[in-house]
Amino acid sequence: MAEKKVIAVLGATGAQGGGLMRAILADRGGEFAARAITRRPDSDKARALADAGAEVVAGDLDDVESLRKAFAGAQGLFAVTNYWELFDPARETQQAKNIARAAKDAGVKHVVWSTFEDPRDRVPLDDDRMPTLMGRHKVPHFESKAEANRTFEELGVPTTYLLTSFYWDNFIHFGLGPARGADGKLAITMPLGDAKMPGIAAADIGPCVLGIFKRGSEMIGKTIGIAGEHVSGAEMAAGISKIAGEEVRYNAVDPDVYRGFGFPGAEDMGNMFQFKRDFEDDYRRARSVEETRKLHPGLMNFGQWLAQYGKRIPIGS
Ligand code: NAP
């Protein structure tokens, strides 16, 4: 049998990269082998990947030399950065530039870079529909990634630009689950109005990325958006109601109200939801469910995600 081509996976202990690790490991007869990159090869999650048959190597996004070593000999690379650990757009952009530099130097043949569109292309900084944050941002955690796209292009790194969607798992892990209001009723709160928002099961991102690697060079230079379904706030609340066993309302607050909630990242997320609401057509058009299903036929819609993971949603007491 021909030797397998190595795909190096950043964020291998996390949601996006972890899903890709599982997808490659499960594809036993497939053409690829998985190499996990982590800051802590001795962590429980990293050990579990090694036990499952993956190569595990050390690498830190802040250290370009460590990335060069971690990428050496790899045919493919999945690249993701974690804004929510940093809350620092400039540092996230620099981490992504480090990835591009190291991928170029290591001669990686195909990079899938998990990025976003730049909301400032539609809402320039002087547009006061939404506040400017940190002096130069509208949606910092989108723009910090988008700003690095240029570096992949300029260095001539063979890259597929992946536009992911809202993980429905945010209802479990990101504090977005239903909360009980002063009236005793449960509600999910998002400033989306009546807009439908592309969403995805976090576990489905990895299999979509594997689908991109399998298609290979035809995907280089392309921007690919992925989603499992486009769902409105009211539809998400109705689905979660069934799991909760009581009515969960959809609280469509104004973006200004959401930005004022005060939790870390509230302004960033308020602007993000407003961007998805105000530019609904463009945002949705960039994330075709039909095209995503071609990459990953087992793709879940919201109802299927709820059936599999809904019981884990914490229901406000
Ligand atoms: P996650 O589950 O929170 O895990 C973070 C991963 O990043 C870990 O595997 C961690 O590896 C790795 N990592 C962080 N800093 C690192 C560093 N300095 N060097 C090497 N590895 C590092 O992450 P995720 O959810 O897959 O991805 C996070 C990104 O997804 C964010 O930037 C966010 O904007 C984006 N996103 C989120 C959503 C959503 O709805 N939540 C939707 C689309 C996109 P080790 O700890 O093992 O080193």
Side-chain angles (χ1 to χ4, degrees):
M1 201 177 77
E3 202 163 314
K4 293 200 179 213
K5 294 178 253 181
V6 171
I7 295 183
V9 180
L10 288 162
T13 59
Q16 297 192 33
L20 177 59
M21 292 298 300
R22 285 191 295 280
I24 297 172
L25 289 166
D27 190 23
R28 291 194 180 279
E31 63 194 294
F32 298 114
R35 177 190 294 168
I37 303 171
T38 171
R39 286 166 293 181
R40 290 178 286 271
D42 57 349
S43 71
D44 290 348
K45 284 183 176 176
R47 282 175 195 274
L49 289 168
D51 289 346
E55 181 189 2
V56 177
V57 303
D60 189 325
L61 297 171
D62 290 317
D63 175 357
V64 70
E65 185 51 34
S66 78
L67 297 180
R68 272 190 204 103
K69 284 188 193 138
F71 299 168
Q75 142 96 23
L77 168 68
F78 174 65
V80 63
T81 48
N82 185 12
Y83 181 84
W84 303 114
E85 186 178 317
L86 307 170
F87 289 92
D88 178 345
R91 185 159 160 212
E92 190 183 32
T93 304
Q94 186 56 52
Q95 289 186 340
K97 290 181 175 179
N98 290 347
I99 295 169
R101 181 74 257 168
K104 176 71 181 174
D105 294 347
V108 177
K109 301 282 186 296
H110 188 182
V111 176
V112 178
W113 158 228
S114 182
T115 184
F116 281 118
E117 52 273 83
D118 192 328
R120 294 167 299 188
D121 292 343
R122 294 193 170 75
V123 195
L125 291 185
D126 62 3
D127 186 328
D128 58 11
R129 260 176 296 185
M130 61 177 75
T132 292
L133 306 177
M134 302 174 181
R136 55 183 301 270
H137 287 292
K138 290 297 188 186
V139 184
H141 76 284
F142 274 38
E143 292 150 8
S144 47
K145 296 176 180 68
E147 280 186 20
N149 295 352
R150 231 172 291 132
T151 304
F152 285 86
E153 280 159 32
E154 283 166 6
L155 292 177
V157 179
T159 305
T160 302
Y161 302 87
L162 181 72
L163 306 179
T164 54
S165 291
F166 176 89
Y167 314 164
W168 294 314
D169 308 70
N170 290 337
F171 291 122
I172 305 172
H173 305 296
F174 212 69
L176 297 189
R180 216 171 278 286
D183 59 358
K185 309 272 188 201
L186 288 172
I188 55 167
T189 299
M190 282 178 284
L192 279 171
D194 295 329
K196 283 184 187 274
M197 174 171 68
I200 196 163
D204 276 341
I205 297 174
C208 293
V209 173
L210 180 56
I212 292 172
F213 280 121
K214 283 185 173 173
R215 285 201 197 164
S217 55
E218 65 173 279
M219 302 301 268
I220 289 169
K222 291 194 175 155
T223 298
I224 306 290
I226 56 171
E229 190 178 355
H230 299 180
V231 200
S232 69
E235 289 164 342
M236 287 187 267
I240 298 171
S241 298
K242 290 185 200 143
I243 301 288
E246 67 176 272
E247 186 192 10
V248 175
R249 296 181 178 174
Y250 167 48
N251 189 15
V253 290
D254 190 86
D256 257 340
V257 171
Y258 197 95
R259 285 187 278 266
F261 281 159
F263 62 83
E267 290 179 302
D268 188 337
M269 286 181 57
N271 281 7
M272 175 196 78
F273 284 122
Q274 185 181 347
F275 174 68
K276 294 178 184 184
R277 181 195 75 177
D278 293 355
F279 300 91
E280 181 187 2
D281 288 350
D282 291 341
Y283 192 78
R284 291 179 58 191
R285 198 175 310 112
R287 291 163 174 79
S288 157
V289 175
E290 208 187 342
E291 292 302 316
T292 308
R293 199 173 298 287
K294 289 181 193 163
L295 290 170
H296 171 34
L299 184 73
M300 284 180 256
N301 61 24
F302 183 59
Q304 289 166 320
W305 177 83
L306 271 177
Q308 194 164 332
Y309 296 96
K311 285 274 181 279
R312 300 190 200 168
I313 298 175
I315 304 298
S317 52

